[in-house]
Amino acid sequence: STVISGAAMSTKGSDQTARLINRKVALVDKNMQALAEDLDYVIHTEHKVAERYDGFAQKLQLYSEEETAGVRGTLAGLSACLLQIEDHRRAHLNQLKERVSQVMHSYSRNVRDVKSDISERERLRDKLASKGKALEKLQQREPFNTAKLNQARTELAGANSEAVQGEQYMLDSVLRFERRKLEDMKTMFSDFVVSHMTFHARALEILTAAHDTLTHIHPDIDLKELMLLQRAPETHSGAGSAMGSLQETLRASGAGAVSAQAVLPQTYTAPTASAAPSAFAGYMGPTASSTGTASYGYGGYAPSTGSYAAPSGYTPSAAPSVGYVPP
């Protein structure tokens, strides 16, 4: 009776212990797995971010090669800084995976081990309860069968001893599990924080250097080429004004309409006959002078002599209505 009551009390106390342990193990199992999955997603996403920044840095480098000296130096420096930051980002992510994520994932195995110990403890507890019930029945059926009663009591005592050992082993296992959990949480989250601090410190250092490259941009120097181009249209505009003034002067002096050939220098070389305007009535091509050089004019005017000489085949009825009148 004493053994049976002791076993019953032990079973009752074990039930409370089992509920506490099962709750702690389930809490760790649920949250560690969720944290590991979320951290894996973060690491995967950050790797994608690193790839995008690499592409951005490469495009900056290509763009810099087409820019002015100051902008080229700034963009090239910024591109190099971004590539360095992404190298540090990848090292940071690898540390998170090895020192944090993998530790979190290991708890699925640790939880299985603890659950196995709990299951073994439950089996031994059920065995103890079964031996106790068997002894009670035997006492009711055969209260004077000393041999069987002694055998049943021996088996109950053995089951009780196993149950106590199983209970202690389970408690030790859970204690080791909890201690390891606390140590791992302290270590892995310390690594988590230090890894982030290291990455951001290095990134800040590199970005500070990148900010210094902005001083390579000098608007006065980089705009010099465009400022030179800005002066060029002013020169062309002046030449156009001079031509316009000359035409106005000739028109005011009564020279009438002035063609482009009217203001050509005296050394002007006549074009070939094929270049003459087809709509010019009376033009028959250049005539050969005594010097062997060709001279021509519109309306029969020869610039080399300053006199009018009708070309061969010219008829007055075909004379142009507008021509050059020698001064």
Side-chain angles (χ1 to χ4, degrees):
S1 300
T2 304
V3 174
I4 296 174
S5 61
M9 292 178 61
S10 177
T11 303
K12 183 177 180 181
S14 297
D15 289 340
Q16 296 177 352
T17 304
R19 285 195 294 269
L20 175 63
I21 291 174
N22 284 327
R23 184 170 65 251
K24 283 185 170 294
V25 171
L27 183 66
V28 173
D29 187 22
K30 175 184 176 181
N31 288 280
M32 281 294 184
Q33 187 65 27
L35 289 173
E37 291 175 357
D38 287 348
L39 183 58
D40 287 343
Y41 180 77
V42 170
I43 292 173
H44 177 74
T45 304
E46 287 290 316
H47 274 295
K48 292 294 184 182
V49 171
E51 292 177 3
R52 293 298 180 89
Y53 268 118
D54 282 346
F56 179 71
Q58 291 168 5
K59 287 182 175 63
L60 274 181
Q61 177 62 34
L62 293 175
Y63 174 39
S64 70
E65 296 173 359
E66 305 294 331
E67 269 291 354
T68 55
V71 177
R72 180 168 58 252
T74 296
L75 296 184
L78 182 58
S79 173
C81 289
L82 290 177
L83 291 174
Q84 289 180 15
I85 290 174
E86 298 318 307
D87 288 340
H88 288 299
R89 186 193 299 275
R90 291 186 179 89
H92 159 62
L93 296 176
N94 290 335
Q95 288 180 348
L96 291 182
K97 184 175 182 179
E98 295 175 2
R99 301 181 182 181
V100 182
S101 176
Q102 290 182 1
V103 175
M104 290 179 175
H105 280 294
S106 70
Y107 272 83
S108 61
R109 182 179 64 255
N110 297 339
V111 167
R112 283 197 304 268
D113 294 341
V114 173
K115 286 183 176 181
S116 176
D117 295 336
I118 294 174
S119 298
E120 178 64 17
R121 174 257 184 192
E122 294 295 329
R123 186 187 69 81
L124 295 175
R125 190 189 67 170
D126 292 341
K127 180 180 177 181
L128 175 62
S130 175
K131 294 297 182 179
K133 290 180 180 179
L135 179 58
E136 288 180 355
K137 290 180 179 179
L138 184 61
Q139 287 175 340
Q140 292 175 0
R141 285 197 313 267
E142 302 179 31
F144 303 108
N145 192 339
T146 307
K148 287 185 178 180
L149 290 174
N150 290 336
Q151 180 65 28
R153 291 189 182 98
T154 301
E155 291 178 356
L156 178 60
N160 186 63
S161 177
E162 290 179 355
V164 171
Q165 291 178 359
E167 186 82 12
Q168 187 62 42
Y169 184 82
M170 182 200 67
L171 291 174
D172 292 342
S173 178
V174 172
L175 186 61
R176 288 193 302 269
F177 174 80
E178 283 292 311
R179 181 179 288 111
R180 180 176 178 181
K181 181 196 72 174
L182 296 175
E183 291 175 354
D184 285 343
M185 290 182 68
K186 183 178 180 179
T187 301
M188 69 182 178
F189 284 117
S190 176
D191 291 339
F192 179 87
V193 173
V194 170
S195 182
H196 274 83
M197 291 173 61
T198 303
F199 166 65
H200 288 294
R202 290 175 178 173
L204 181 60
E205 180 181 358
I206 295 171
L207 289 173
T208 302
H211 185 269
D212 293 340
T213 63
L214 297 177
T215 58
H216 295 168
I217 297 179
H218 300 287
D220 294 339
I221 297 176
D222 290 334
L223 291 175
K224 184 177 181 181
E225 182 178 0
L226 292 177
M227 293 174 67
L228 291 175
L229 293 176
Q230 189 180 23
R231 296 192 186 98
E234 297 177 358
T235 304
H236 295 303
S237 176
S241 300
M243 179 62 74
S245 299
L246 177 58
Q247 290 179 344
E248 290 295 333
T249 302
L250 293 175
R251 188 177 295 109
S253 63
V258 181
S259 64
Q261 284 74 14
V263 294
L264 292 175
Q266 294 298 320
T267 58
Y268 177 75
T269 304
T272 60
S274 61
S278 59
F280 198 129
Y283 176 75
M284 301 300 293
T287 58
S289 64
S290 59
T291 60
T293 60
S295 62
Y296 87 104
Y298 292 102
Y301 175 71
S304 60
T305 60
S307 60
Y308 178 84
S312 175
Y314 172 76
T315 56
S317 62
S321 60
V322 178
Y324 181 80
V325 178

